[in-house]
Amino acid sequence: RWYGCGKETARCFGTVHARTPQYLLAGRWTPPCCLRALRETARHVAEVLEAAGVRYWLEGGSLLGAARLGDIIPWDYDVDLGIYREDVGKCRWLAAAAAGEPVEDAEGFLWEKAAEGDFYRVHYSRSNRLHVDLWPFYPRQGVMTKDTWLGHPQDVEFPESFLRPRVPMAFAGFTAMAPNNARAFLEMKFGPGAIENPEYPNPAVKRL
């Protein structure tokens, strides 16, 4: 169902509990207006990062959606990108967020440091909290790691060789950067057959 959320409204669903948005519990997938806003936010963030020289890549469920259908998974509620932590200062909006100052860019997207830990969040607007999460990784002895772990099964370290080089991949109506072996990357994070066997974010709460 199209509810019509936009920059001036709130998003169409409330708080996500146990990685499960309320629309899934109601037997629905992401409202199409929310997917539209997520696509716009993802494209905008990717363009800003590329222009600033920040190295980023599709992460987690967003890479899974790109590998399956070149788009956001139709029941997903955010977009995940990894970035190199050392590049944060190259982007004025990220640098401001890192300093603890939420900042609205010229297009009305709100950049801030997440309350839950050492990562960043770019919201569709101040009112509409659909967002892209930016996870700052750094290499340590050839392995990409980070300082905040939220306990998701796919939230693990991985070899930096997946990012050398990063490769272009169709996603949400534009071309994003991605790890160079999406299948191996995803199966390391989600398990064998992750691309071919869809599942909701937390099957213990709601199964597909």
Side-chain angles (χ1 to χ4, degrees), residues 137-193:
F137 283 84
Y138 54 93
R140 185 173 60 197
Q141 297 179 333
V143 172
M144 297 300 288
T145 190
K146 57 190 175 76
D147 291 337
T148 292
W149 304 94
L150 298 185
H152 301 171
Q154 72 273 19
D155 199 14
V156 296
E157 297 177 335
F158 61 90
E160 189 181 13
S161 56
F162 278 115
L163 305 178
R164 293 180 174 270
R166 295 168 300 131
V167 298
M169 195 169 190
F171 178 69
F174 67 101
T175 301
M177 300 307 292
N180 55 50
N181 187 334
R183 176 174 292 278
F185 188 87
L186 288 167
E187 293 198 342
M188 182 194 68
K189 292 203 166 204
F190 292 94

Side-chain angles (χ1 to χ4, degrees), residues 56-199:
Y56 78 92
W57 61 93
L58 292 167
E59 261 290 343
S62 299
L63 180 62
L64 204 49
R68 280 188 193 142
L69 48 115
D71 200 357
I72 297 167
I73 292 173
W75 53 82
D76 213 349
Y77 50 85
D78 64 5
V79 169
D80 289 302
L81 300 178
I83 59 173
Y84 272 85
R85 188 176 70 177
E86 65 193 76
D87 291 349
V88 166
K90 295 178 179 179
C91 173
R92 60 181 289 198
W93 312 112
L94 268 181
E101 175 191 347
V103 58
E104 193 173 307
D105 68 25
E107 305 296 323
F109 295 87
L110 183 70
W111 300 64
E112 67 177 9
K113 192 171 188 296
E116 301 95 320
D118 185 24
F119 64 102
Y120 305 97
R121 192 161 273 163
V122 186
H123 299 275
Y124 187 48
S125 70
R126 285 188 182 273
S127 301
N128 192 324
R129 310 298 273 186
L130 289 160
H131 59 264
V132 172
D133 282 335
L134 299 174
W135 300 94
F137 283 84
Y138 54 93
R140 185 173 60 197
Q141 297 179 333
V143 172
M144 297 300 288
T145 190
K146 57 190 175 76
D147 291 337
T148 292
W149 304 94
L150 298 185
H152 301 171
Q154 72 273 19
D155 199 14
V156 296
E157 297 177 335
F158 61 90
E160 189 181 13
S161 56
F162 278 115
L163 305 178
R164 293 180 174 270
R166 295 168 300 131
V167 298
M169 195 169 190
F171 178 69
F174 67 101
T175 301
M177 300 307 292
N180 55 50
N181 187 334
R183 176 174 292 278
F185 188 87
L186 288 167
E187 293 198 342
M188 182 194 68
K189 292 203 166 204
F190 292 94
I195 296 173
E196 291 79 14
N197 300 303
E199 188 49 87

